[in-house]
Amino acid sequence: MTTSSGPQARPHRSLGTIDAAAIGAGAMLGAGVFSVFAPAAVGAGAWLPVAIAIAGFVAYCNAVSSARLAARHPEWGGAYVYGTERLGELWGFLAGWAFVVGKIASCAAMALTFAHYALPGWERPAAVAAVVVMVALNFRGIRRSTFVVKVLVLLVLGVLAVSVVAMLMSGRLAAVAEVDGLGPWPGSFGLLGSAALIFFAFAGYARVATLGAEVREPRTTIPRAINLSLATVLVVYMVVGTGLLIVLGRERLITSEAPLVDAVLVSGQPALVPVMVAGAAVASLGALLSLLLGISRTTAAMASDGHLPRRLGIVHERSGVPHRAETAVGAVVIVLILFGDLTSAIAFSAFGVLVYYTITNASALRLGPDENRPPLVAPLGGLVGCVVLVCSLPLPVIGLGVLVLGAGAGLWWVRDRMSHRPG
């Protein structure tokens, strides 16, 4: 089957390596770095750096598989395209379905995080307003959106650097003994469940693959952009996460609602609190912008193939943006903001992302020797890692995720039967 080949799916190839890497880094350096370490520390405790390393390893394996597949399939859709071409229509559909529903939940989490920091007490109205503004910005075209993403990434990196300097000046980073070593073994599910939550914060490099039809020289640009964005974010997460664990201590980190704010307070730098708040807001908006870019394009690819209403696949003639898919995604995100919960949104997003990458790695295993296939350790390690992490999430999240995937498979089966009906 040829995916996304219709006239609706012909965007402009305008992105270079730095542009694409900025989109990936902007998605990863979002609300996660400002909020994920506290709930992750609940399960991992003082083993938090180990959980970060596990999530980083699985993310790297997925990045290698994604890069090789994206180079062979430089078009919208990511694993939706890979799964369809390499494994069959059902697996491709499930990959796209998992990506869309998981990342829509992530959009809600990003918007709510922005609102929590920027306008406490008005979280839901502020989150809705953020989604509306980001959708409108994307309507202006990807070049302008990418410029904004690059600015946001630089600002967030600056804020995180300030927080690290403040923690260093506190002198507490030298007192590593206060962490009590690695502490008691948190259990396999505690450690791996924490790694699954942290992986949610790593998953932004998928945005580079889903923008494959919009980059120049995708065979070289996509792998470089993925590796550059992932390596940068891995270092940032390890430094910030370990610093928070040491400066705040295990118990305070677990109970913190704003770890970076608490860290600068403990460091004796209360004047930096507004900087941390602004950084969290900027990071959330940058991630929200990148997420909406990727989700709308996967939705458009699925619509062009008839798996979703075809009108969602229409691309605007001047901007090259799938504006109807963008609007539909934004509307669903707003519904989740109005009725959903931040913690459950993060966990469910992690479930969807891990399923998506499971299919990605399975697809990479089907690459032939003449297709620049990755070393076996990458897709195999990514496949096993994703399955293990998704099974370590809380049981209610797994149950809901299975139900949603089952509903998607049911929709695909009905469509398939109707398309083969005589007459």
Side-chain angles (χ1 to χ4, degrees), residues 244-342:
L244 289 172
L245 179 63
I246 296 173
V247 170
L248 295 179
R250 180 174 180 270
E251 295 305 319
R252 184 162 184 174
L253 177 57
I254 287 174
T255 59
S256 176
E257 294 184 356
L260 287 174
V261 169
D262 289 341
V264 296
L265 288 174
V266 169
S267 300
Q269 302 290 336
L272 295 178
V273 169
V275 178
M276 298 301 108
V277 173
V282 167
S284 300
L285 291 178
L288 179 60
L289 180 64
S290 294
L291 284 169
L292 289 171
L293 281 170
I295 298 168
S296 64
R297 280 144 182 79
T298 298
T299 301
M302 297 177 71
S304 295
D305 292 337
H307 292 299
L308 293 174
R310 290 190 179 275
R311 293 179 64 84
L312 295 177
I314 296 175
V315 173
H316 196 277
E317 292 182 0
R318 287 184 296 177
S319 66
V321 172
H323 55 292
R324 295 190 178 183
E326 190 90 34
T327 302
V329 169
V332 177
V333 172
I334 289 173
V335 171
L336 291 181
I337 288 171
L338 294 176
F339 299 101
D341 170 74
L342 176 60

Side-chain angles (χ1 to χ4, degrees), residues 20-81:
I23 290 176
M28 286 185 278
L29 289 173
V33 71
F34 288 88
S35 60
V36 77
F37 296 122
V42 173
W47 290 70
L48 181 62
V50 179
I52 295 173
I54 292 172
F57 170 75
V58 176
Y60 176 75
C61 291
N62 295 342
V64 173
S65 296
S66 297
R68 301 296 177 90
L69 285 164
R72 296 296 304 176
H73 304 280
E75 50 190 296
W76 286 346
Y80 165 66
V81 174

Side-chain angles (χ1 to χ4, degrees), residues 174 331 361 367 381 404:
N361 285 292
L367 287 169
V404 172

Side-chain angles (χ1 to χ4, degrees), residues 36 54-56 58-60 62 194-205 350 353-354 357 386 389:
V36 77
I54 292 172
V58 176
Y60 176 75
N62 295 342
S194 296
L197 291 177
I198 295 170
F199 181 81
F200 151 79
F202 271 105
Y205 56 82
V353 171
L354 287 164
Y357 281 114
C386 286
L389 292 185

Side-chain angles (χ1 to χ4, degrees), residues 155-411:
L155 290 174
V156 172
L157 287 175
V159 170
L160 294 176
V162 169
S163 71
V164 171
V165 170
M167 289 188 281
L168 286 170
M169 292 177 62
S170 72
R172 294 180 62 87
L173 289 181
V176 181
E178 292 187 22
V179 186
D180 299 325
L182 285 178
W185 171 243
S188 297
F189 279 102
L191 181 63
L192 295 173
S194 296
L197 291 177
I198 295 170
F199 181 81
F200 151 79
F202 271 105
Y205 56 82
R207 229 68 65 242
V208 180
T210 57
L211 297 173
E214 297 171 66
V215 299
R216 299 187 298 267
E217 301 180 4
R219 291 179 181 270
T220 57
T221 298
I222 291 174
R224 291 174 182 172
I226 289 177
N227 291 335
L228 178 59
S229 59
L230 179 61
T232 301
V233 172
L234 174 59
V235 172
V236 171
Y237 283 2
M238 187 62 74
V239 171
V240 174
T242 305
L244 289 172
L245 179 63
I246 296 173
V247 170
L248 295 179
R250 180 174 180 270
E251 295 305 319
R252 184 162 184 174
L253 177 57
I254 287 174
T255 59
S256 176
E257 294 184 356
L260 287 174
V261 169
D262 289 341
V264 296
L265 288 174
V266 169
S267 300
Q269 302 290 336
L272 295 178
V273 169
V275 178
M276 298 301 108
V277 173
V282 167
S284 300
L285 291 178
L288 179 60
L289 180 64
S290 294
L291 284 169
L292 289 171
L293 281 170
I295 298 168
S296 64
R297 280 144 182 79
T298 298
T299 301
M302 297 177 71
S304 295
D305 292 337
H307 292 299
L308 293 174
R310 290 190 179 275
R311 293 179 64 84
L312 295 177
I314 296 175
V315 173
H316 196 277
E317 292 182 0
R318 287 184 296 177
S319 66
V321 172
H323 55 292
R324 295 190 178 183
E326 190 90 34
T327 302
V329 169
V332 177
V333 172
I334 289 173
V335 171
L336 291 181
I337 288 171
L338 294 176
F339 299 101
D341 170 74
L342 176 60
T343 301
S344 59
I346 291 175
F348 185 75
S349 177
F351 179 92
V353 171
L354 287 164
V355 170
Y356 173 89
Y357 281 114
T358 298
I359 297 174
T360 297
N361 285 292
S363 301
L365 287 171
R366 300 297 298 271
L367 287 169
D370 59 337
E371 296 179 296
N372 193 26
R373 64 184 178 190
L376 182 61
V377 66
L380 191 59
L383 178 62
V384 174
C386 286
V387 172
V388 170
L389 292 185
V390 79
C391 292
S392 301
L393 288 167
L395 286 178
V397 174
I398 297 175
L400 177 61
V402 170
L403 286 176
V404 172
L405 287 179
L411 290 174

